[in-house]
Amino acid sequence: MKILGIESSCDETAAAVVEDGSSLLGNAVATSMALHAQYGGVIPEIAARSHIESIIPVIKEALGQAKCNWQDIDGIAVTYGAGLSGSLLVGVMSARSLAITHKKPLYAVNHVEGHVYANFLTKTSLPGYTLPAEQPKFPLLALIVSGGHSQLVLFRDHFDYTLLGQTHDDAIGEAFDKVAKVLGLPYPGGPSIGAKALEGDPLAYQFPKAKMQEPYDFSFSGIKTAVLRAVQKECGQDHTFPSFKLAELLSEPQKANFAASFQRVAIETVVDKTIKAFQEFLPASVVIAGGVAASPELRRQLSERLPCPITYTDPKLCTDNGAMIATLGCYQAMHKRPLADPYKLAIEPNLSM
Ligand code: KG4
Ligand code: ZN
């Protein structure tokens, strides 16, 4: 069972070929990140235009790496939500056209659910990937932390899951991106804050953790504002001073202390709740998924505090990619889930789990 996965929900144009839900045969990603970096965040129109230019070369590249031609492909899986409308449209319309032309079954994949499935890949002959030796087992606790989502999900089996909690406002990745902007660090904020934090003191500032009514819900807008207020105070400025000019007033050691202190508390917040969920539901496996799952600090804190062994997938499979979409597509095919209509499949920008 070989599935071609197509992903274009944000600023990565990605395609991959996965066999039997465990083996990565080809994985290609083109990113328009550099085009957005100068604006400090993704510009939807630029992302959509860039997907149009990249999608066909990226699909060809993934098929080439997998040494597959169209006869070898058993189905096409595509992200239909959540994401940016213009971006999603490019992937979905490409997948629909290819499914019709090559007479392949089409599977519609939820992007956030897809992130979790990156953890099911255990084999590849492609160079440069470190994959876990074994697949996660059910019941499976998944911490999904990306630029658009922060949630804890308990999977009893494939396609049988409960959302334990989610963010009420900003996603954790969004908070990293916004704090990076205040500190004058480049987009995306996760990796740039992580790198700067290595030079700083994680205990220099005490930022608050949001107290939520529901035990597994998150909120990251408070800590984002707390960092902004602390930076203003450190610079001797108030809220009337333009926030994009604050970074010029900070020294490099000050930036490092803010980055390290923010990162410690933001990551602690998601780790606290993952440990709590582990104690309540006693899952057989725990996985982390989404762009922030690439964070070495998250991996360090979780491995240190979780009372069971945990393995992590390659960081390249945490940020948006086609492999996670192809993997979930394989499980849809193997479990005979309903097919999408290649003449009708519509995007769902606000799709939830
Ligand atoms: O999953 P993803 O690629 O796209 C969404 O579905 O949102 O996640 C992007 C987010 C960004 O907020 C980025 O700052 C964060 O993931 N990120 C990281 C790292 N790499 C990307 N955060 C922490 N550490 C990283 N190494
Ligand atoms: Zn994502």
Side-chain angles (χ1 to χ4, degrees), residues 29-41:
V29 184
T31 177
S32 56
M33 202 177 278
L35 299 175
H36 307 289
Q38 57 183 309
Y39 306 102

Side-chain angles (χ1 to χ4, degrees), residues 75-88:
I76 299 173
V78 64
T79 302
Y80 75 112
L84 302 168
S85 306
S87 291
L88 287 167

Side-chain angles (χ1 to χ4, degrees), residues 13-26:
T13 319
V17 181
V18 168
E19 187 170 22
D20 299 336
S22 60
S23 186
L24 180 62
L25 305 183

Side-chain angles (χ1 to χ4, degrees), residues 63 77 88 161-162 200 204 238 277 319:
L63 289 169
L88 287 167
Y161 58 77
T162 305
D238 65 11
T319 46

